[in-house]
Amino acid sequence: MQRNFFQESACLTNLACSVVRITRVASSTGRSIRVFSAASAVLGIVTLPLQIIDLVMDGHASHQNQPSNVSGQLQIFDVKMLNGQYTLDNIASCLFGIETNSLQNENITIINHLKTFFTLSAANLFLLVFFLSPRLARHLSKKGYSMIPRDTTNYLTQLVDQILARRRQHSERRNDFIQMMIDHEEEVKHEEQTDKPERQSAILKKTLNDKEILGQALVFLVAGYETTSVLLSFFFYVMATEPVIQEKVYNEIHQELGDDEVTYEKLNQLQYLDMVINETLRIYPPFTRFERVASKDYQFGNYDIPKGSIISVPVYPIHHDPNVWPEPEKFIPERFLSTEKAKRHPMTYLPFGDGPRNCIGMRFALLEAKLAIVKALRLVEIQKCDKTEVPVQLGQLTVLSSKNPIWLRVERRSQ
Ligand code: HEM
């Protein structure tokens, strides 16, 4: 099947439908390559504010680090809750420049709004309609229905407006998504003032307006918060239930990094960790399916696919197909050795989707996850406890989650 045949993603969120397309469509028509590259650079490696993630994680680590927490309250904890707070802090910081620090300030307004946003989005009827019938959801969105509660939207709109105003007045500057949008806007304005008129008409430039910036930020918030949290939760569950694998991951971290500062380059040297993350995403893909809309009539084997049909790609069943993955329920990181990968069809492993609408935040997510893992495993060993459910029972939603809390125990490493 042609990889680019099903061009449009029919899923994710109603916001993704309208807002991400602004950058993608603009870039594909060549009208606004620079807006797109500014947006994607935030999520790519070039300017990723590693130090911001690091800062948040340090708050996280120091919280865990306190002996009373490690040997007391935090010895047994629900890893889902902790990871959710970590990814929420990171994403709010990298997008809006807000230090939510939710591990210590559970009740401040922004956290409450963001939590409502995500809690409701999972249980919300609109979300269900959206996944079952993206077309009906699109129709409902046009009629003004939204999966995001109105007071949360109003609160976030006001918040982003205030941040934009402060950044435009240059009274505050941070290395985050909003700053990139502002810098790009100023760069374009400057070029428009200095360029010769004939050059201006040759290059049609576009910046995002305030509504579009807010929309982009919300898309990244929705798409990036729960997914990475799910990855981390299952990763730590695997560490607890597969102690030999945990030891190998720890030894690699110890050998490659020692006590050195964690850098982007060093994180990328951790090849065994990479394979363990890949295997975690195979067994527990955060998105169990995604959709495409057929852009033309197509014949696939005995099936006629009329233009406009919505095709669901069943990621979870593909990742558990015994014909592709022998003993699919067994956790075997070596499946991701390059020699093994070369034997498989690339479409048999799709945690981040594929094609022109694949996950734009993949590198961000992997970096964020690796940083959290390295910092946590250097400090503590993850173990099962009496309350750990093995095997973990899975919930029924499109975004994979465990049915119950994932209770784990941590023990501080002696060295
Ligand atoms: C482990 C973490 C993550 C997983 C497993 C994941 C997975 C996915 C998948 C399966 C898709 C649909 C791809 C397709 O249809 O081909 C997607 C889309 C998307 N993801 Fe992620 N994602 C993760 C983290 C993130 C993060 C951290 C961000 C942003 C900060 C993000 C932003 C997006 C956006 C904006 C889209 C929509 C792209 C489009 O429609 O063009 N994701 N993601």
Side-chain angles (χ1 to χ4, degrees), residues 9 12 16 20 24 43 91 219-220 223-224 227-228 231 281 286-287 290-292 350-354 356-362 364-365 368:
S9 175
L12 207 59
V20 172
R24 295 254 165 141
L43 301 166
I91 210 130
V219 167
F220 294 144
T227 43
T228 315
L231 163 61
L281 286 169
F287 276 113
F290 58 84
E291 276 78 22
R292 290 290 184 271
L350 295 164
F352 293 101
D354 201 339
R357 299 304 298 260
N358 71 345
C359 176
I360 200 172
M362 178 177 78
F364 179 98
E368 182 186 17

Side-chain angles (χ1 to χ4, degrees), residues 150-164:
R150 194 158 301 281
D151 58 337
T152 300
T153 320
N154 291 344
Y155 175 79
L156 289 172
T157 310
Q158 248 181 26
L159 184 79
V160 172
D161 281 350
Q162 284 165 9
I163 298 172
L164 283 171

